[in-house]
Amino acid sequence: MTVAPARPASAVLTWSRDLVQPALRAAVDRLPAPMRRIAGYHLGWWDQFGDPVDAAGGKAVRPALVLLAAEASGARPDDAVPAAVAVELAHNFTLLHDDVLDRDRTRRHRPTAWAVFGVSAAILAGDALLALAADVLAGSDHPAAARVLTRALLDLVDGEHADLTFERRPDVGVRECLEMVEHKTAPLLAAACALGATFAGAPPSTVAHLHEFGRLLGIAYQHVDDLLGIWGDPAKTGKPAHTDLRSRKKSLPVVAALASDTPPGRELSTLYRRTAPPSPDDVVRMADLVERAGGRSWSRDESRRLLDEALDRLADTAPAPRPAAELAALAHLVVNRER
């Protein structure tokens, strides 16, 4: 039997969105009208008045991981669509709340939901998406799936709380910053891969290997996300330049620079301890100091190392060749976003 060639990551993401979008829209349509309007706005389907628009709705990496993990484990990707929908709903729950917690006013080149509809309404819309994710999984024939997602979300909340406490602390170590990321970012990518394998009826060892693949990829993802939060092109990220430095966020490259015990790291620490908002010149200076203190190169190196480890775990599952190659291509895309 001839095996179809692996598709590039961009084609995989398009395929995943096309496959998941109808079921995702059908799920969101079940929300009460006010929550549906906010959720649809956040997802890029319509404007604040409910009129259809063609706005960016995100890359939808997590649903693609679900579908490919299912296929790599021997199932049809269509069989895992409910899991992909649930993961995407849960992910957007976190984004709605993150924007409120971080007071970010821009996402995907548009005003954030809380900036348009208000803080309380955006929080409630996030809650609605979370409840909807649970409902979608409850309607599937995989009772263990709900536990996979809820465990991930409990970890995520723990990591988010740790991240918020970092804002009030002058000193944060690299190890505890990594532990925060392992809770905040990695669990949902790990759950996406594990859910795909679970819906495929894969043995526990396969589920575990794919979970670990997603976990390692999630940590690498955060390294790259933090690099983009400092040096990302606003035209591509949909957020203003130097966003994380303006809020003095203790992201991975920043914490590595602060812990470097170098002259640039010490100067960065002085700027981070100021109470006055940083000026435009300050944030440019901060970015330079993070780079000179080694934070940028450390996060880049770590993201590549974690990618290699993730691909080793993927190989351990003895997956179907084409979906495995596409999972690898997706992993490379995630880690190479900065470049």
Side-chain angles (χ1 to χ4, degrees), residues 154-174:
L154 287 171
D155 262 354
L156 188 152
V157 170
D158 185 33
E160 185 68 61
H161 178 262
D163 195 19
L164 291 173
T165 65
F166 289 175
E167 295 178 8
R168 302 190 298 270
R169 290 176 46 193
D171 298 306
V172 175
V174 173

Side-chain angles (χ1 to χ4, degrees), residues 22-33 36 45-46 132:
L24 181 62
R25 282 183 175 264
V28 171
D29 278 346
R30 305 204 317 260
L31 291 175
R36 176 181 175 276
W45 299 343
W46 45 71
L132 190 59

Side-chain angles (χ1 to χ4, degrees), residues 227-242:
L227 290 168
L228 292 171
I230 299 175
W231 293 283
D233 179 357
K236 296 179 180 178
T237 64
K239 293 185 177 184
H242 301 136

Side-chain angles (χ1 to χ4, degrees), residues 18-325:
D18 289 346
L19 187 56
V20 171
Q21 195 73 197
L24 181 62
R25 282 183 175 264
V28 171
D29 278 346
R30 305 204 317 260
L31 291 175
M35 297 299 99
R36 176 181 175 276
R37 183 157 67 101
I38 299 170
Y41 170 84
H42 168 76
L43 290 163
W45 299 343
W46 45 71
D47 63 18
Q48 64 265 43
F49 306 109
D51 295 325
V53 296
D54 187 19
K59 292 179 291 295
V61 168
R62 290 157 189 81
L65 289 174
V66 174
L67 301 179
L68 289 176
E71 195 174 8
S73 303
R76 298 183 311 137
D78 309 57
D79 296 336
V81 166
V85 169
V87 166
E88 185 68 353
L89 289 169
H91 173 55
N92 281 281
F93 142 73
T94 70
L95 296 184
L96 281 162
H97 283 206
D98 273 354
D99 287 341
V100 171
L101 292 169
D102 297 338
R103 290 298 188 265
D104 285 339
R105 302 191 69 90
T106 305
R107 178 176 291 279
R108 301 166 183 159
H109 310 284
R110 305 171 81 199
T112 49
W114 75 264
V116 174
F117 299 99
V119 169
S120 298
I123 291 173
L124 289 172
D127 295 343
L129 292 186
L130 178 58
L132 190 59
D135 187 63
V136 168
L137 283 184
S140 74
D141 295 326
H142 300 274
R147 181 162 291 177
V148 173
L149 185 59
T150 54
R151 284 175 176 168
L153 290 170
L154 287 171
D155 262 354
L156 188 152
V157 170
D158 185 33
E160 185 68 61
H161 178 262
D163 195 19
L164 291 173
T165 65
F166 289 175
E167 295 178 8
R168 302 190 298 270
R169 290 176 46 193
D171 298 306
V172 175
V174 173
R175 181 62 253 170
E176 60 183 332
C177 191
L178 284 168
E179 288 175 357
M180 177 273 291
V181 168
E182 289 184 19
H183 285 269
K184 179 184 174 183
T185 308
L188 199 52
L189 275 82
C193 297
L195 281 169
T198 299
F199 268 64
S205 59
T206 298
V207 175
H209 284 312
L210 282 168
H211 185 279
E212 184 64 4
F213 163 74
R215 187 188 74 84
L216 292 164
L217 183 59
I219 302 170
Y221 184 102
Q222 189 61 57
H223 272 286
V224 177
D225 219 45
D226 287 350
L227 290 168
L228 292 171
I230 299 175
W231 293 283
D233 179 357
K236 296 179 180 178
T237 64
K239 293 185 177 184
H242 301 136
T243 297
D244 287 354
L245 296 179
R246 283 196 184 86
S247 61
R248 294 194 182 93
K249 187 176 181 65
K250 294 183 180 71
S251 61
L252 285 165
V254 167
V255 170
L258 291 171
S260 66
D261 195 26
T262 60
R266 289 190 287 273
E267 185 180 345
L268 179 68
S269 178
T270 299
L271 289 171
Y272 253 62
R273 288 170 186 266
R274 289 180 180 175
T275 56
S279 68
D281 287 342
D282 286 338
V283 294
V284 172
R285 178 66 176 163
M286 287 177 184
D288 179 59
L289 292 170
V290 174
E291 182 157 15
R292 287 170 50 206
R296 187 176 193 176
S297 60
W298 175 73
S299 269
R300 279 178 168 169
D301 291 345
E302 280 296 290
S303 67
R304 293 165 187 162
R305 181 186 66 79
L306 288 159
L307 172 62
D308 290 341
E309 285 192 33
L311 294 177
D312 286 344
R313 298 293 77 74
L314 175 62
D316 289 340
T317 68
R322 182 188 56 74

